[in-house]
Amino acid sequence: MRAFQLVGWRQPPELREVPVPEPGPGQVLVKVAGAGACHSDLHIMEAPGPPPGLTTELPFTLGHENAGWVERLGPGVTGFAPGDPVIVYGCWGCGVCANCRQGRENYCRTLGGRVRAWEVVTTADWPSTCSSPRRDT
């Protein structure tokens, strides 16, 4: 599959061939119909290195605003079936601070621990497939 990846800090991203991810426990493999790159992708592309407090490893797949169809389910996933239309929720957060508990992960106070969107985009394919935690699909 193809992925739009940052392969070097402050370097132009590249469209590369990468293996199709296998959905792990609690994950959904999504056949992506459309993927968007937004301003947070530009921040990553222009950064001199990983954001403080995060361990962003290269190559890093860009584009976390995805919509498509369920391709495969990982073990333990319920509530979806192959072919179901889905969107992947692209916000990240710790999941436990007051803002995250109110569904406002884009205003996370701690931005640590479980960084959900970064889990998605590190295995996301642009534009073919992505592996997403079930809770964010």
Side-chain angles (χ1 to χ4, degrees), residues 39-73:
H39 207 258
S40 59
D41 293 300
L42 295 176
H43 286 302
I44 294 168
M45 291 166 44
E46 295 169 353
L54 298 177
T55 55
T56 305
E57 295 181 19
L58 300 180
F60 182 82
T61 302
L62 300 164
H64 59 267
E65 297 173 347
N66 303 303
W69 299 272
V70 172
E71 184 78 9
R72 286 196 303 272
L73 304 175

Side-chain angles (χ1 to χ4, degrees), residues 80-106:
F80 290 105
D84 284 352
V86 293
I87 61 170
V88 177
Y89 182 63
C91 289
W92 56 86
C94 70
V96 295
C97 73
N99 287 335
C100 286
R101 288 193 317 266
Q102 294 173 0
R104 301 182 323 155
E105 291 91 347
N106 53 323

